[in-house]
Amino acid sequence: MTVGKRRRGLTVASALLGGVLVLSACSGGGDDASANDGGDSSQARVDEAAAKKTSEAQIKITPADGSDNASINNSAAVTVSKGTLTEVTMTTSDGTEVSGEISADRTSWKPTAQLERSTSYKLAAEAKDSEGRIAHENASFTTVSPANSFIGTFTPDDGATVGVGMPVSINFDKAITNKAAVQKGITVSSTSGQEVVCHWFNANRMDCRPEDYWQENSTVTLKLALDGVEGASGVYGVQQKTVTFKTGRNQVTYVDAKTKQMKVTQDGKTVKTIPISAGSPDNKTYEGQMVISEKFKETRMNGATVGFTDDDGKGEYDIKDVPHAMRLTTSGTFVHGNYWGADSIFGSVNTSHGCVGLNDTKGADDPNTEGAWFYNNSIIGDVVVVQNTGDKTVSPDNGLNGWNMDWAQWKAGSAV
């Protein structure tokens, strides 16, 4: 190669190399040190700013977004860690606001009332961390529908004072097939320390009682922990509550259809003897231990409702103002006042269609009658023992009358 050619080659090489350097400079490199430093610093500042904008507060909403069949008791809980709640709003799908309360330490929130079944809810929560940075969380869910849930209607009521014969009776609005699971979610206890056992009469009713009547002046507690319990396939409990009631004095009344006398005892001592008229030979009164389940100062009694009809299909009797009536069976047995019968029948002859009648006056406003006395001195849950009628013993599930089943039979009806 000649010197000239060699020089021309170096020149081309330099030009190519210069081109490479120029291209490198256009892509952010080059010889300008300040340009390089400025680019790296800008990205670092962006990353740093992004980090500063992210709150450390972590909000959790239950149930999870999109849940269905959610609990009406335990849903809609909001909690936060690494921060405090600043605002929580809950609304139904139509925009109705649901009231709620943030805890004193501002780390949790819950609604102040039970939710409705088969309802869609939306929750929006806001919290801030120690640096004041804000975090948000949203969720929506739908509560369990009536078709997929069950409830139990129970007696006695919370806060009631009842007689010593009052069982805890629960009637479910859906047939229960998983009885053991449901029964395990129900506990009944007493300050008397008596063992309490529950008995299933059928798929919809469960009663609970001790072996003997409750001790007088004790407190009984019913706890329902049925929320989320599967009572049947795809059917869940929704109740979560505690109920307490008290027992009063021990009053047991003995009705003797043979002597036609009624003996009222309290704490084992006779306090009054009342002449009565029980069921006639053609319409005998059930025998057995019966519990007063309802009281009416006046009520209508129509024979057609309990199968006593004339040839025209109308009731053999229709009395619109029976005084001082106390129900003993679901099928229609009562202890009640009687103003239409002659005074001479009481203590002498059995004339009723199966009830136990006491002398009384029309209007239920005379406190001096036998009917008024017994009504005013009886409470729901008192026991009435009917004897010597010649009829069969009342069925244990006809009213609140499980006392007519011995303890071994009663325990055999438990699912646990």
Side-chain angles (χ1 to χ4, degrees):
M1 175 183 296
T2 63
V3 174
K5 290 182 179 180
R6 185 168 180 259
R7 286 179 177 169
R8 284 196 298 272
L10 289 173
T11 302
V12 172
S14 298
L16 289 173
L17 182 58
V20 172
L21 290 174
V22 169
L23 288 173
S24 298
C26 288
S27 64
D31 295 332
D32 188 344
S34 62
N36 276 326
D37 291 344
D40 291 344
S41 297
S42 297
Q43 185 61 51
R45 285 194 296 271
V46 170
D47 293 342
E48 183 180 359
K52 284 184 177 180
K53 291 179 181 179
T54 302
S55 175
E56 291 185 352
Q58 298 178 7
I59 302 171
K60 180 181 180 181
I61 298 177
T62 54
D65 185 38
S67 297
D68 56 12
N69 285 335
S71 165
I72 64 173
N73 298 290
N74 299 321
S75 294
V78 180
T79 59
V80 64
S81 59
K82 297 182 180 180
T84 55
L85 292 170
T86 54
E87 184 179 6
V88 179
T89 58
M90 183 176 181
T91 58
T92 61
S93 56
D94 63 3
T96 302
E97 189 168 346
V98 178
S99 61
E101 189 174 67
I102 296 176
S103 62
D105 62 2
R106 308 194 70 81
T107 61
S108 64
W109 176 96
K110 62 181 180 180
T112 53
Q114 188 181 65
L115 305 184
E116 298 293 332
R117 288 190 288 179
S118 198
T119 302
S120 295
Y121 292 95
K122 294 181 179 180
L123 263 168
E126 179 184 282
K128 64 180 180 180
D129 63 11
S130 59
E131 300 297 324
R133 294 171 296 193
I134 302 298
H136 296 88
E137 192 69 45
N138 297 275
S140 61
F141 62 91
T142 303
T143 51
V144 63
S145 69
N148 293 324
S149 61
F150 70 88
I151 62 172
T153 302
F154 56 84
T155 190
D157 294 332
D158 187 31
T161 297
V162 297
V164 295
M166 188 71 182
V168 172
S169 184
I170 305 172
N171 286 274
F172 298 101
D173 65 348
K174 302 282 195 310
I176 303 300
T177 56
N178 193 356
K179 294 179 179 178
V182 171
Q183 188 173 334
K184 288 176 182 177
I186 298 172
T187 58
V188 181
S189 60
S190 173
T191 54
S192 65
Q194 293 170 276
E195 178 190 10
V196 181
V197 175
C198 297
H199 178 97
W200 290 88
F201 285 116
N202 51 50
N204 293 84
R205 177 180 171 184
M206 185 184 77
D207 285 14
C208 307
R209 67 168 179 89
E211 182 174 4
D212 300 310
Y213 303 143
W214 301 105
Q215 288 185 17
E216 64 274 11
N217 303 314
S218 57
T219 299
V220 181
T221 300
L222 164 66
K223 290 184 179 181
L224 299 170
L226 297 175
D227 189 72
V229 175
E230 190 171 22
S233 179
V235 179
Y236 298 88
V238 296
Q239 288 168 295
Q240 185 171 295
K241 65 190 310 177
T242 298
V243 173
T244 61
F245 62 91
K246 296 182 182 297
T247 60
R249 74 285 179 272
N250 182 321
Q251 179 166 304
V252 180
T253 297
Y254 298 89
V255 174
D256 190 328
K258 186 176 181 179
T259 64
K260 303 168 189 64
Q261 299 291 319
M262 185 171 81
K263 182 175 67 175
V264 183
T265 70
Q266 290 186 359
D267 301 321
K269 298 179 180 180
T270 300
V271 296
K272 192 173 183 65
T273 300
I274 301 173
I276 60 96
S277 179
S280 69
D282 292 332
N283 302 295
K284 299 172 183 176
T285 307
Y286 286 129
E287 293 189 358
Q289 304 171 74
M290 305 182 214
V291 174
I292 296 174
S293 58
E294 291 182 293
K295 292 180 64 182
F296 306 97
K297 186 176 180 181
E298 289 184 284
T299 191
R300 179 182 180 182
M301 291 188 177
N302 187 334
T305 63
V306 289
F308 292 111
T309 57
D310 292 324
D311 294 339
D312 60 4
K314 294 182 179 180
E316 292 182 12
Y317 56 88
D318 187 1
I319 306 170
K320 297 178 174 60
D321 55 355
V322 177
H324 300 123
M326 288 157 280
R327 182 183 291 277
L328 299 180
T329 70
T330 306
S331 61
T333 307
F334 282 79
V335 176
H336 62 75
N338 178 336
Y339 66 79
W340 53 90
D343 292 347
S344 60
I345 68 170
F346 301 101
S348 300
V349 59
N350 293 322
T351 61
S352 82
H353 284 77
C355 293
V356 177
L358 313 179
N359 197 5
D360 212 329
T361 56
K362 186 177 178 66
D365 54 5
D366 184 351
N368 298 312
T369 65
E370 306 285 16
W373 185 94
F374 188 65
Y375 181 90
N376 292 331
N377 287 276
S378 298
I379 60 176
I380 289 174
D382 281 348
V383 181
V384 177
V385 182
V386 181
Q387 302 165 318
N388 299 321
T389 69
D391 200 15
K392 64 183 179 181
T393 300
V394 66
S395 175
D397 60 349
N398 187 0
L400 303 175
N401 299 325
W403 303 105
N404 295 285
M405 187 177 292
D406 67 40
W407 192 232
Q409 290 176 304
W410 185 265
K411 294 177 75 172
S414 173
V416 296

